[in-house]
Amino acid sequence: MTYTTLSLTLIFVLIPLLLSKTLKLDLEKDTIIATVRSIVQLLAVGYVLKFVFDSEHIIYILLMITLMIGTATLNARKKGKAIKGITWKIALTLIVIEAVTQGILLGFHIVPATAQYIIPISGMLIGNSMVLSILFLNRFTAEIEASRDEVELILSLGGTPKQAIHNQLTNAIRASMIPTIESQKTIELVQLPGMMSGQIIGGADPVQAVQFQLLIIFALLTTAAISSILIGFLSYPTLFNERMQIIKNSISK
Amino acid sequence: MNSLNEIAISFQNVFYEIDDLSILNNITGEFYKGKITTLVGPSGAGKSTLLKMCNGLISPTTGDIFIGDQPIHSYEPTHLRKSVGIALQSAPIIRGTVFHNLSLPFTLQNKKLPEKDAISFLEDVRLDHTFLHRQAEDLSGGQKQKISIARSLLNRPKILLLDEITSALDPTSVNEIEQLILKINQKYGVTMIWITHNIEQAKRIGHYTWIMMEGQLLETGESTILSTSTNERIQQFVNGVQDL
Ligand SMILES: Nc1ncnc2c1ncn2[C@@H]1O[C@H](COP(=O)(O)OP(=O)(O)OP(=O)(O)O)[C@@H](O)[C@H]1O
Ligand SMILES: [Mg+2]
């Protein structure tokens, strides 16, 4: 695709702009900002990736992964600001995800150890883990907020913080994992997964595209399980002090 | 108060603040072993806050609390809370059956509560065995209170903290619960602190009383001070309550 043809795709931006203007949806500004952002960001990513793929140097690969983990961490931590040390807890979770998944993929020679594989797969898994962490933190704080009485009751009867928070923790872990599992049940033709579509358009063999999609789907299950469980077990202790008391305002934003 | 009484809990210059807001203001006083002390005072006086401190759910901002002759913070929190039981004001219920709720203190210690023991605890609070497998959330406010009382007895605490445990009960049930608590007090020598808005109840059941207002301890003494106090604010409070 040339830049001339690419610029023609801006028609797709014009249509919602016009509609928004006529119907007074007041979405023009957001649409323009979103468009400019995606152009700048994605093109930048494209050129950076090209550079990394061409050089195929381990330092650049590590740098890219660090960048992805860093960005994802900053995104996710907004949801858990009330939890002490949430930033490094999310970062640690993402690092574990990356280490476990790449360890398996590269260790068993499932994919070649080249930037072309490592970086996109890392991107998808880290991105997903970030979304999961956000889902988890939302749900976890809501669960605790809604059942403060119950948490206090269990503590008052001589239960430990872990016992007091157990239901809320498992509920939140389950709730954040369900979308991953559900979405995989419903993958079908009308909703070809993005990566697969991209590969097919790029000229890859559809069967091979499916194989990679399956790889991602399976890896996402591990990602989902590890991220919510890890972030859960890392974050719950910060809600209590060493006297096993609920820390005031540890939850509410 | 007579000096022969052994001290079960003592407060020494206890202050409690939340975000610079004073909740408890320089509380100093004693609760006696094996006695029932009632805690009365207007809403927001800080009664529940004080009770939660005795169970270690919260700690003073400054000041000391002693359980027996040891500072409260020297006890391991789960041990403290098992021997200083509390029936919380909101009578919280966890999702599940009455049996599930009743056996919670045991479940937390990986012990099983035999069903026949559960039934006898239920009968103590005048609920029959058919309640055992009902969903606790579906119970009435008063029934939940009864479950909460029974549950607080399971650990056989040496000190029992009762936060308005009869506020949602009918007169017959109030009487039955009072008899039950008095029996436990006499039979096992359990030290009790009982918060109530019912001044008549405080006179009936309490050996001693603490009268609190706006985070301060106004007066302590035998329950008779509820009638004989010369403090104007106390007289007003007591009479106001009786007029209701
Ligand atoms: N967690 C909290 N956050 C903010 N304020 C609190 C908190 N807990 C208690 N307070 C405040 O402390 C004061 C005392 O509350 P407490 O529950 O001890 O009163 P109480 O004497 O038990 O009243 P009632 O008879 O209505 O139960 C109240 O003004 C209350 O608003
Ligand atoms: Mg109260």
Side-chain angles (χ1 to χ4, degrees):
Chain A
M1 199 162 33
T2 63
Y3 278 103
T4 333
T5 40
L6 181 62
S7 56
L8 281 178
T9 60
L10 285 176
I11 296 173
F12 289 126
V13 179
L14 275 177
I15 295 175
L17 273 181
L18 288 175
L19 285 175
S20 167
K21 188 133 189 83
T22 16
L23 294 179
K24 295 201 169 55
L25 299 179
D26 201 20
L27 293 172
E28 295 97 299
K29 200 172 148 211
D30 284 336
T31 313
I32 292 173
I33 291 177
T35 309
V36 173
R37 271 187 135 175
S38 41
I39 293 175
V40 174
Q41 285 180 358
L42 286 179
L43 283 181
V45 168
Y47 283 109
V48 170
L49 283 183
K50 196 164 156 47
F51 171 74
V52 175
F53 290 177
D54 287 348
S55 72
E56 199 59 66
H57 200 298
I58 180 79
I59 292 291
Y60 293 128
I61 298 180
L62 285 179
L63 216 62
M64 277 299 288
I65 291 172
T66 312
L67 197 69
M68 291 192 278
I69 291 181
T71 322
T73 303
L74 293 181
N75 261 322
R77 74 167 188 166
K78 289 180 208 142
K79 290 295 166 200
K81 269 201 188 122
I83 295 171
K84 214 165 84 201
I86 193 66
T87 309
W88 75 260
K89 282 167 188 168
I90 295 172
L92 179 67
T93 304
L94 295 177
I95 291 169
V96 170
I97 294 286
E98 175 69 9
V100 169
T101 51
Q102 292 299 338
I104 293 170
L105 289 174
L106 300 178
F108 289 108
H109 300 292
I110 300 171
V111 299
T114 60
Q116 189 199 340
Y117 289 93
I118 296 175
I119 290 175
I121 292 176
S122 300
M124 276 185 278
L125 299 184
I126 290 170
N128 223 269
S129 175
M130 174 193 80
V131 171
L132 251 131
S133 305
I134 293 175
L135 272 178
F136 171 82
L137 289 171
N138 272 340
R139 181 61 182 252
F140 189 44
T141 45
E143 286 267 342
I144 294 175
E145 198 67 75
S147 49
R148 232 168 216 279
D149 271 8
E150 198 179 306
V151 175
E152 190 175 59
L153 169 71
I154 293 174
L155 291 177
S156 80
L157 292 170
T160 60
K162 185 152 170 242
Q163 289 174 319
I165 214 83
H166 181 263
N167 278 341
Q168 289 72 21
L169 190 60
T170 50
N171 281 350
I173 291 175
R174 203 179 299 120
S176 55
M177 283 182 66
I178 283 174
T180 307
I181 298 170
E182 282 302 311
S183 70
Q184 303 195 349
K185 278 199 217 150
T186 57
I187 291 177
E188 48 189 318
L189 205 55
V190 285
Q191 199 205 341
L192 281 184
M195 182 190 80
M196 212 171 104
S197 321
Q199 269 190 299
I200 293 174
I201 291 171
D205 171 16
V207 175
Q208 216 193 10
V210 167
Q211 287 176 341
F212 272 105
Q213 187 63 48
L214 283 176
L215 179 157
I216 292 296
I217 286 178
F218 297 153
L220 281 181
L221 284 176
T222 289
T223 308
I226 294 181
S227 2
S228 48
I229 292 171
L230 204 56
I231 196 88
F233 278 90
L234 286 175
S235 54
Y236 90 82
T238 59
L239 309 178
F240 301 89
N241 64 19
E242 75 292 348
R243 302 288 309 147
M244 299 192 188
Q245 297 165 340
I246 305 175
I247 297 176
K248 208 45 210 121
N249 297 331
S250 57
I251 291 301
S252 38
K253 306 116 225 142
Chain B
M1 267 171 249
N2 86 55
S3 52
L4 295 175
N5 279 328
E6 248 186 286
I7 293 169
I9 306 179
S10 86
F11 276 62
Q12 294 183 3
N13 306 103
V14 168
F15 288 80
Y16 186 63
E17 284 162 21
I18 299 177
D19 308 327
D20 290 337
L21 189 74
S22 167
I23 311 280
L24 293 181
N25 190 347
N26 202 5
I27 304 281
T28 299
E30 281 97 33
F31 295 102
Y32 297 106
K33 205 169 251 176
K35 302 292 177 196
I36 300 179
T37 305
T38 57
L39 199 50
V40 301
S43 286
K47 305 181 296 296
S48 298
T49 306
L50 192 148
L51 217 61
K52 283 181 187 176
M53 270 182 187
C54 301
N55 172 265
L57 277 177
I58 49 181
S59 296
T61 310
T62 58
D64 296 304
I65 298 174
F66 292 84
I67 305 282
D69 46 18
Q70 287 195 60
I72 193 165
H73 51 79
S74 68
Y75 293 88
E76 202 278 325
T78 61
H79 289 168
L80 172 76
R81 289 167 188 167
K82 276 175 229 157
S83 58
V84 183
I86 186 167
L88 294 162
Q89 184 169 10
S90 56
I93 287 295
I94 55 170
R95 204 169 300 154
T97 59
V98 167
F99 181 63
H100 186 55
N101 269 274
L102 210 52
S103 52
L104 183 61
F106 273 36
T107 321
L108 293 173
Q109 301 169 53
N110 297 316
K111 290 192 291 190
K112 267 187 95 73
L113 176 69
E115 214 170 284
K116 70 171 194 351
D117 293 2
I119 292 171
S120 103
F121 274 103
L122 271 187
E123 283 167 351
D124 280 345
V125 291
R126 297 293 191 276
L127 290 174
D128 69 62
H129 65 93
T130 59
F131 278 93
L132 208 56
H133 297 291
R134 286 182 53 181
Q135 290 301 309
E137 287 154 308
D138 299 338
L139 299 184
S140 75
Q143 290 165 337
K144 283 181 189 164
Q145 257 183 353
K146 289 180 169 184
I147 304 292
S148 168
I149 296 167
R151 188 174 52 196
S152 71
L153 301 175
L154 242 85
N155 281 333
R156 303 213 175 279
K158 293 186 191 58
I159 298 175
L160 189 56
L161 313 168
L162 306 168
D163 199 343
E164 294 188 42
I165 51 167
T166 60
S167 62
L169 300 184
D170 63 84
T172 313
S173 297
V174 171
N175 184 31
E176 286 164 354
I177 295 298
E178 284 179 8
Q179 294 314 313
L180 168 71
I181 297 296
L182 285 173
K183 195 183 91 191
I184 292 169
N185 169 253
Q186 279 153 16
K187 196 163 159 195
Y188 303 105
V190 175
T191 305
M192 298 187 176
I193 309 178
W194 189 333
I195 296 179
T196 176
H197 279 298
N198 182 333
I199 300 295
E200 290 311 309
Q201 181 175 56
K203 290 178 187 163
R204 265 198 311 274
I205 55 175
H207 303 109
Y208 298 101
T209 191
W210 281 30
I211 306 169
M212 291 181 66
M213 265 178 220
E214 293 167 7
Q216 289 177 314
L217 183 56
L218 284 195
E219 202 166 327
T220 64
E222 293 183 14
S223 293
T224 46
I225 64 165
L226 287 167
S227 320
T228 59
S229 173
T230 50
N231 182 316
E232 212 167 294
R233 290 169 77 195
I234 294 177
Q235 284 176 348
Q236 261 174 14
F237 167 68
V238 169
N239 295 328
V241 172
Q242 279 172 339
D243 287 345
L244 284 179

